[in-house]
Amino acid sequence: MKTIDDYNFDGKKALIRVDFNVPLDSDFNVTDTSRIEAAKPTILKVLEDGGSAILMSHLGRPKGKVNPDMSLSHICETVSEIIGVQVKFAGNCVGKVADDAVAELKSGEVLLLENLRFHAEEEAGDTSFAEALAKHGDIYINDAFGTAHRAHASTTIVAQFFPGNKCFGYLLAKEIKAIEKVMQTGEKPVTAILGGAKVSSKITIIENILDKVDNLIIGGGMTYTFVKAKGGSVGDSICEDDKMDLALDILKQAEAKGVKVHIPVDVLAADAFDNNANTQFVDVDKIPDGWQGLDAGPKTLENFKEVILNSKTILWNGPVGVFEMENFAQGTIAIGNYIDEATQKGAFSLVGGGDSVAAVKQFGFEDKVSYVSTGGGAMLESLEGRTLPGIAAILD
Ligand code: AMP
């Protein structure tokens, strides 16, 4: 796997695909700078070698049209502050404006190109557009894990114009290694904790990881499809009746593969999907009509705790309750605490995919787990066992 450490950028122009798709407030201030900070080491390596950096990214969903609200010019000052270099800005990512700005760029300088998605060709993966981008650099670096699952012009197609001169940035390399550590080289016992709303959105992940884990903890809304399939009463809990056969099949596959599946035994049930609803702890298979399970119960959490504390490698994807409501967040917080404890004891813990990162950030677990993935969809696709096009294009 080639990373930027295999290159010396002295006198070279590095074309870097970053993920600067950051949240902005109504005054266009960046409200979360983590994605910019995540790209900083890669940019600094290029500059410290004596090269110059041309940064390209998308911001929002302008759908192929110029939209001043989604201009990357809004973030130029924030990027400058974080990188510690005054970043120049080109009002277009291709064409004369961009070409001229690139031509003037000197060693040690950084140029930020305007939003790639102002051109429909970006998401279409257009080859001529990719070639126009490729003209800007001597070496292509992909450091945008968040878009590595998209075969867009700047994430994938552009790489073909850099045979022998393309590599992963530090961030993308770190993401790839973290996934490998869980899915291939993880120390046993390996435990996956899968929560979230629906079996249907996690099924491919479950099928893929059954070959790689020793324990599978199932929590959250998915629980009830499994419980009902096994003959339990789940009351008004979220349940996918058409996925019950699938749930039984997963349990059978797990047994055949020697994977221990841990499902909640008790839950915090509520009489409405509301933070202020009446609640009671009930056995997971005896939820009365009119009640729905919205969080894990104490016996369940004790069981999960034991499994997690005995694990050496932990993957966490999806909350075990409706964590957005304070009264149903305790289970998810407890899981975070157990993973924290296991990590302190030496386990490797990876959190990522979909909403998991939001939960982790909200409860302050970010610095307590070994690695928090920066890519929601890209992480989910990796866990499903798919080769991401943006990664394949570099390895090519
Ligand atoms: P996902 O994006 O699939 O990881 O799902 C995350 C969502 O699952 C969160 O918004 C949670 O509120 C929701 N969720 C977790 N547990 C439950 C539950 N018992 N009932 C309904 N939704 C749930």
Side-chain angles (χ1 to χ4, degrees), residues 58-76:
H58 73 284
L59 176 65
R61 292 189 171 149
K63 303 216 165 103
K65 291 201 183 81
V66 175
N67 180 338
D69 288 354
M70 296 176 197
S71 171
L72 280 164
S73 61
H74 299 306
I75 75 161
C76 205

Side-chain angles (χ1 to χ4, degrees), residues 15-341:
L15 178 65
I16 314 178
R17 178 49 159 108
V18 289
D19 181 3
F20 284 174
N21 183 29
V22 291
L24 301 176
D25 65 16
S26 53
D27 293 325
F28 303 110
N29 297 308
V30 180
T31 54
D32 181 348
T33 57
S34 30
R35 285 182 170 168
I36 302 172
E37 273 149 34
K40 181 176 173 177
T42 292
I43 299 166
L44 288 189
K45 149 80 178 158
V46 169
L47 300 183
E48 280 161 12
D49 273 4
S52 55
I54 296 133
L55 310 178
M56 52 179 181
S57 178
H58 73 284
L59 176 65
R61 292 189 171 149
K63 303 216 165 103
K65 291 201 183 81
V66 175
N67 180 338
D69 288 354
M70 296 176 197
S71 171
L72 280 164
S73 61
H74 299 306
I75 75 161
C76 205
E77 274 318 302
T78 307
V79 179
S80 302
E81 279 160 31
I82 291 171
I83 309 296
V85 169
Q86 184 58 49
V87 174
K88 299 183 167 183
F89 184 75
N92 197 348
C93 60
V94 290
K96 189 169 171 2
V97 174
D99 294 347
D100 289 351
V102 169
E104 282 167 24
L105 203 65
K106 297 185 196 69
S107 288
E109 292 185 335
V110 181
L111 174 69
L112 175 63
L113 302 177
E114 182 57 289
N115 197 337
L116 292 156
R117 291 194 189 168
F118 284 178
H119 298 264
E121 293 88 342
E122 162 64 0
E123 289 184 83
D126 183 84
T127 306
S128 314
F129 179 69
E131 193 173 8
L133 292 171
K135 275 204 312 196
H136 300 327
D138 303 309
I139 301 171
Y140 170 66
I141 302 173
N142 190 351
D143 211 20
F145 181 66
T147 48
H149 58 314
R150 307 277 185 222
H152 294 170
S154 70
T155 62
T156 303
I157 313 303
V158 70
Q160 73 194 52
F161 298 101
F162 295 90
N165 278 322
K166 53 188 173 182
C167 59
F168 298 112
Y170 289 125
L171 174 67
L172 190 38
K174 253 200 311 198
E175 294 274 358
I176 296 170
K177 283 197 190 116
I179 297 165
E180 264 176 21
K181 229 169 156 175
V182 170
M183 307 291 269
Q184 289 166 28
T185 60
E187 198 182 332
K188 287 172 165 290
V190 181
T191 297
I193 306 156
L194 293 186
K198 291 177 168 179
V199 178
S200 48
S201 64
K202 300 288 160 87
I203 180 63
T204 325
I205 297 182
I206 297 178
E207 286 177 335
N208 184 43
I209 61 174
L210 281 181
D211 286 322
K212 311 182 195 308
V213 302
D214 304 294
N215 296 296
L216 173 62
I217 290 180
I218 287 177
M222 272 201 292
T223 306
Y224 309 99
T225 304
F226 283 89
V227 171
K228 191 169 174 188
K230 293 207 298 179
S233 306
V234 298
D236 294 354
S237 306
I238 184 173
C239 184
E240 292 167 280
D241 286 343
D242 60 331
K243 295 290 177 293
M244 291 201 295
D245 287 344
L246 195 62
L248 291 177
D249 188 51
I250 289 169
L251 295 176
K252 242 197 243 162
Q253 280 186 51
E255 199 182 349
K257 293 180 179 190
V259 177
K260 285 199 196 106
V261 180
H262 308 270
I263 296 177
V265 290
D266 62 344
V267 291
L268 181 60
D271 61 359
F273 190 81
D274 186 317
N275 191 43
N276 299 317
N278 296 305
T279 58
Q280 58 174 328
F281 287 113
V282 291
D283 288 345
V284 73
D285 57 351
K286 296 184 190 69
I287 303 174
D289 286 341
W291 294 73
Q292 53 190 301
L294 295 183
D295 199 5
K299 290 181 218 153
T300 299
L301 290 173
E302 269 311 305
N303 294 345
F304 288 0
K305 180 179 182 180
E306 200 189 322
V307 178
I308 292 169
L309 288 185
N310 283 313
S311 302
K312 287 275 181 242
T313 304
I314 300 163
L315 164 72
W316 184 19
N317 170 265
V320 298
V322 185
F323 74 97
E324 297 92 336
M325 296 186 209
E326 198 186 341
N327 292 334
F328 305 106
Q330 293 314 310
T332 299
I333 294 173
I335 297 292
N337 284 327
Y338 306 150
I339 297 176
D340 175 15
E341 211 177 317

Side-chain angles (χ1 to χ4, degrees), residues 4-22:
I4 56 176
D5 283 330
D6 297 306
Y7 289 87
N8 187 318
F9 292 88
D10 191 17
K12 304 275 187 216
K13 289 193 161 96
L15 178 65
I16 314 178
R17 178 49 159 108
V18 289
D19 181 3
F20 284 174
N21 183 29
V22 291

